[in-house]
Amino acid sequence: MKTLLLTAVLAATVLSVNARNDKSRGYPITPVPFTSVKVWDNSFWGQRLETSRKVTIPLAFSKCESEGRYKNFERAAHPSDKYDVGKLMPYPFDDTDVYKTIEGASYILQTYPDKQLKQYMDSILDIVAAAQEPDGYLYTARTQNPEHPHPWSGATRWSEEENLSHELYNLGHMIQGAIAHYQATKSRKFLNIATRYADCVCREVGPKPGQAHVVPGHQIAEMALSELYVVTGNRKYLDEAKYFLDYRGKTKIRQEYSQSNIPVTQQSEAVGHAVRATYMYAGMADVAALTGDTAYIHAIDRIWGNIVSKKLYITGGIGATSNGEAFGANYELPNMSAYAETCAAIGNVYVNYRLFLLHGESKYYDVLERTLYNGLISGVSMDGGGFFYPNPLESMGQHQRQPWFGCACCPSNICRFLPSLPGYVYAVRNKNLYVNLFLSNTSHVNITGKNVIISQNTQYPWNGDIVIRINGNKAGQFALKIRIPGWVKGHPVPSDLYEYADHKRMSYKITVNNRQVPAALTPDGYYTISRKWKKGDRVQVHFDMEARLVRANNKVVADRGQVAIERGPVVYCAEWPDNAFNIMNVLLNQTPLFTSGTIPDNQFIADSLKDKLTLYKDQSLKTLTTQAQTLAYDSTGNLTVRNVSLKLIPYFSWCQRGSGNMKVWIPQDLKATRPSVPATLASVSKIASSTPSRSLSSIADGLVPADENDRSIPYFHWWPKQGTTEWITYTFPEERTIQTSTVYWYDDQPWGGCKVPENWNIQYMDQHQQWQGVKHADHYPTLKGQPCTVEFDPVKTKVVRINVKQPKKYSCGLFEWSVN
């Protein structure tokens, strides 16, 4: 993603005040580059860096091969009107999987030199370079067959950029990958490719006569061009980035989805596609830092306030709805249908990182840390081989980790983010050294041109003890600024969106060489110790770390009457493998007591990867256990109660031992409970389908949508099948007489791929094992979000089938199907 300084995530580092291109401007705080921070292997983050290096990045490269990403470039080097680009290339942004994986591999290369990896990337770049057109344009979705490009691409360059072509999105990821590759290898091979495409864009897109007056349909080029300006010193790239921002809301397409409804400096609410939004906010920060345009900063500050006070999940995830992968309304934070895309979590980190670099306040790192330990790393399995696209906070088994996706933005984004993580640990401003994240490492830090060697030794996030050592100091006196996390100070987030409900008060203690020293918790949220540090000085930090109960603002309807449990920066959840009862029926005690335990890391690692991922051996996750009750109605309708022991695991580790029930928010008030109900004919039946799926059981769980927009309950669908006739059967334990059937259809239009069916019908199996249609069915409704009931002549059978004709180019799905 960024330049040498930029380690972790965006151009923030390269945009520091020492950027050679504009010494008068830039971020006032300079991150310590990730190349200067050596994370210890046998640590929480050391494990994840090993996983990224040994599993995730090799997997991504292999998927680029097997899924045809390289073939797109090869065909573009030899265009043909015979290529059906829409079939050969699912999405016009598939090129970015290559760019992002190269970016992540380049970060790894700087930490773990690998000649073979370097040569492999060089061979890929030969393929990429051959696809570039003479004027620098590089967009394989068009170049493979210029006369008939990808359906999303438009007939001419840039004509569909503000809709779906993603030409400028591809440029952004190309630039960021090229800068990382340049810093890792000192080779300009990829950088020259990216610069030529950027030059093409600067010539053809802009406000001047004869240029295409468009802005990115999917933002990221704003960040990337700012970084390219820092690397090359060519002002036109910064000017182009600023044009993209200044003209947003002024071109032909104006919509909330892409944050183009109003000019960016007038915006105050986070709306639309969450990834697009955060990439734009990060770009605004970069351009503001380089140009001094404070209007951008004021807008980002307002939007940030809206997110953390009304639109942030307890896990740090953002983007509540699958409708447009977007932010919802204020306080709209559903759990089971939460989208909370992994890419959006990464974008949330980018924004908070930049706001810290602008303002220097710890509250931005409080949000960053919450996102990092929960809603971000939940997007990749601990063994690096399984991914989530959405990261819901509740599940009934309909969510599964996947080894890859057709739209693979999240796996490739994880590839590039995790290796850059060490660059988020420290930052410097004048003679102040910020300690922002707590992880075992040894680092070389530049303070006013002088070298300081600093290390941390800690088991964080499993305990709150950190030992910071000064292993060398040529800078003399400087201030060590240690972030005191919000969770220690009694604030889950820097707003009233969440609050602790257990009335506990955590404390902290910091000593130097076992003595109290003159220091203070300054208004910026840092415990600041200023002294002339000597080699061997030892700073001991202790944060009380206990299980805490969190309640959401009562305006968050989905969380009313429930609590979340967290310990330190880690949010916990209840999951099916650890509890021999249905966790969906649980009621937490009013004053719960928690005991901590452990569970071996290896339980979450695929057997095929255990020998490769040696750092997980003999390591454990911290668990929590408390007493609770389960509620159920018996066959007579009376409510019954059973005492149980409820075990909780870190949220980031869920769905790594199979799919099943999971909950983050646990009912503590009776009104929020969901007692189990007596069995229905559907729930006791054996269910089969034309397309087997683990989510099939959801159609008989008794849960129905509140309205046509409700996505908070489980559902089953036949995606990606389209236009076909599909079926589901119920096989009863014994023959039963039925005469009605009710369906709740799943329809995620206009954004998704499922619609109500073209038509449907009910059949039963007769005594000769033949399918027969039910007689005198009154009608087969296809209403969205409503019960669609058909009545027919009574029939005695043991097997009933629903046949569904899917619309052309769409799939169908069901929330619930009952028979009576």
Side-chain angles (χ1 to χ4, degrees), residues 35-283:
T35 49
S36 297
V37 180
K38 173 60 178 176
V39 176
W40 295 2
D41 286 342
N42 196 23
S43 66
F44 183 91
W45 289 108
Q47 292 172 329
R48 281 145 187 84
L49 291 175
E50 179 196 47
T51 298
S52 184
R53 177 169 61 95
K54 292 184 176 181
V55 178
T56 309
I57 288 175
L59 172 64
F61 276 134
S62 72
K63 289 296 183 180
C64 285
E65 293 185 16
S66 65
E67 303 305 309
R69 302 302 191 255
Y70 300 151
K71 286 292 183 182
N72 293 331
F73 292 96
E74 292 173 350
R75 285 189 294 267
H78 304 283
S80 170
D81 60 7
K82 296 180 180 179
Y83 294 147
D84 187 339
V85 182
K87 290 184 177 180
L88 293 169
M89 184 181 195
Y91 301 102
F93 48 80
D94 284 348
D95 294 352
T96 65
D97 292 340
V98 177
Y99 306 149
K100 286 183 281 187
T101 306
I102 289 177
E103 183 179 347
S106 296
Y107 293 140
I108 287 292
L109 206 59
Q110 295 186 67
T111 308
Y112 301 94
D114 186 330
K115 184 178 179 180
Q116 186 175 1
L117 176 60
K118 182 176 179 295
Q119 290 175 342
Y120 178 75
M121 287 195 292
D122 200 59
S123 68
I124 296 171
L125 292 176
D126 287 336
I127 298 171
V128 172
Q132 190 160 35
E133 296 188 23
D135 65 353
Y137 186 74
L138 210 176
Y139 176 70
T140 69
R142 185 182 309 284
T143 310
Q144 293 180 63
N145 185 348
E147 294 300 317
H148 302 285
H150 191 283
W152 293 10
S153 299
T156 59
R157 293 181 183 182
W158 327 117
S159 60
E160 291 297 316
E161 170 55 38
E162 294 187 1
N163 284 319
L164 292 170
S165 76
H166 289 79
E167 287 151 289
L168 297 175
Y169 175 78
N170 287 13
L171 168 71
H173 278 299
M174 180 192 296
I175 291 172
Q176 293 184 329
I179 290 173
H181 180 264
Y182 171 64
Q183 295 294 346
T185 66
K186 309 307 177 188
S187 166
R188 295 184 64 90
K189 187 170 186 176
F190 196 8
L191 188 62
N192 287 342
I193 296 170
T195 301
R196 290 185 63 214
Y197 190 15
D199 290 343
C200 173
V201 169
C202 290
R203 284 193 309 270
E204 298 188 9
V205 181
K208 298 177 182 178
Q211 291 184 306
H213 303 314
V214 298
V215 296
H218 192 311
Q219 300 90 314
I220 197 176
E222 300 85 348
M223 284 191 288
L225 287 165
S226 299
E227 299 163 31
L228 189 59
Y229 158 65
V230 173
V231 171
T232 65
N234 194 326
R235 176 79 189 197
K236 71 179 180 182
Y237 302 131
L238 179 60
D239 292 341
E240 188 77 2
K242 195 171 190 305
Y243 158 76
F244 287 155
L245 293 171
D246 290 345
Y247 276 73
R248 195 164 210 88
K250 302 175 184 178
T251 58
K252 182 178 179 180
I253 293 182
R254 303 179 186 184
Q255 57 184 359
E256 284 193 351
Y257 174 74
S258 57
Q259 299 77 43
S260 59
N261 52 316
I262 57 176
V264 298
T265 56
Q266 298 176 22
Q267 296 185 24
S268 58
E269 181 181 359
V271 297
H273 189 273
V275 180
R276 284 171 164 84
T278 53
Y279 284 8
M280 184 182 81
Y281 306 150

Side-chain angles (χ1 to χ4, degrees), residues 9 348-350 352-354 356 363-373 376 417 421 424 437:
V9 16
N348 198 24
V349 167
Y350 289 171
N352 282 278
Y353 178 55
R354 284 164 166 75
F356 163 75
K363 64 182 181 180
Y364 302 111
Y365 257 90
D366 289 343
V367 178
L368 188 157
E369 180 183 64
R370 178 170 293 277
T371 305
L372 185 64
Y373 278 99
L376 194 156
F417 177 80
L421 175 75
Y424 290 88
L437 294 177

Side-chain angles (χ1 to χ4, degrees), residues 742-764:
T742 299
V743 181
Y744 285 83
W745 298 108
Y746 173 75
D747 185 320
D748 58 5
Q749 293 303 297
W751 303 105
C754 289
K755 290 183 69 173
V756 295
E758 191 173 296
N759 57 69
W760 62 287
N761 62 69
I762 299 293
Q763 293 180 311
Y764 68 96

Side-chain angles (χ1 to χ4, degrees), residues 327-341:
F327 288 102
N330 289 338
Y331 302 107
E332 181 187 355
L333 294 167
N335 293 310
M336 193 173 296
S337 64
Y339 205 68
E341 184 181 340

Side-chain angles (χ1 to χ4, degrees), residues 620-792:
S620 301
L621 300 179
K622 186 76 72 174
T623 63
L624 298 172
T625 302
T626 189
Q627 295 304 303
Q629 296 173 312
T630 58
L631 308 182
Y633 290 106
D634 64 20
S635 58
T636 65
N638 290 322
L639 185 66
T640 62
V641 178
R642 180 164 70 99
N643 293 327
V644 296
S645 182
L646 180 66
K647 187 173 182 178
L648 307 168
I649 62 170
Y651 168 76
F652 67 74
S653 64
W654 82 280
C655 200
Q656 299 187 47
R657 297 168 293 174
S659 300
N661 290 352
M662 181 277 294
K663 279 181 71 69
V664 169
W665 290 94
I666 311 296
Q668 195 178 35
D669 299 347
L670 278 172
K671 62 184 179 182
T673 58
R674 187 191 299 167
S676 66
V677 296
T680 65
L681 183 55
S683 67
V684 299
S685 298
K686 180 180 179 181
I687 311 175
S689 171
S690 53
T691 301
S693 170
R694 293 180 180 177
S695 64
L696 192 56
S697 61
S698 65
I699 68 170
D701 60 14
L703 302 178
V704 299
D707 54 46
E708 63 180 21
N709 298 312
D710 186 5
R711 300 288 181 273
S712 64
I713 61 172
Y715 53 85
F716 163 80
H717 58 70
W718 284 284
W719 176 265
K721 292 184 177 180
Q722 300 176 1
T724 55
T725 298
E726 305 296 333
W727 55 265
I728 301 174
T729 60
Y730 282 157
T731 301
F732 310 143
E734 56 190 18
E735 281 194 330
R736 298 290 297 270
T737 298
I738 59 173
Q739 60 187 30
T740 70
S741 179
T742 299
V743 181
Y744 285 83
W745 298 108
Y746 173 75
D747 185 320
D748 58 5
Q749 293 303 297
W751 303 105
C754 289
K755 290 183 69 173
V756 295
E758 191 173 296
N759 57 69
W760 62 287
N761 62 69
I762 299 293
Q763 293 180 311
Y764 68 96
M765 185 171 287
D766 65 18
Q767 59 185 351
H768 304 295
Q769 305 299 302
Q770 299 297 313
W771 289 109
Q772 305 291 339
V774 295
K775 304 297 185 182
H776 302 118
D778 54 1
H779 68 311
Y780 288 99
T782 56
L783 303 175
K784 181 178 178 180
Q786 300 182 43
C788 296
T789 300
V790 57
E791 296 183 354
F792 44 85

Side-chain angles (χ1 to χ4, degrees), residues 362 366 480-486 488-491 506 508 510 517-529 543:
S362 66
D366 289 343
L480 187 67
K481 297 178 73 68
I482 302 169
R483 181 176 65 91
I484 307 301
V488 175
K489 295 180 290 186
H491 305 293
M506 301 295 101
Y508 64 92
I510 300 176
V517 296
L521 179 61
T522 48
D524 58 8
Y526 290 85
Y527 190 87
T528 304
I529 309 170
F543 300 137

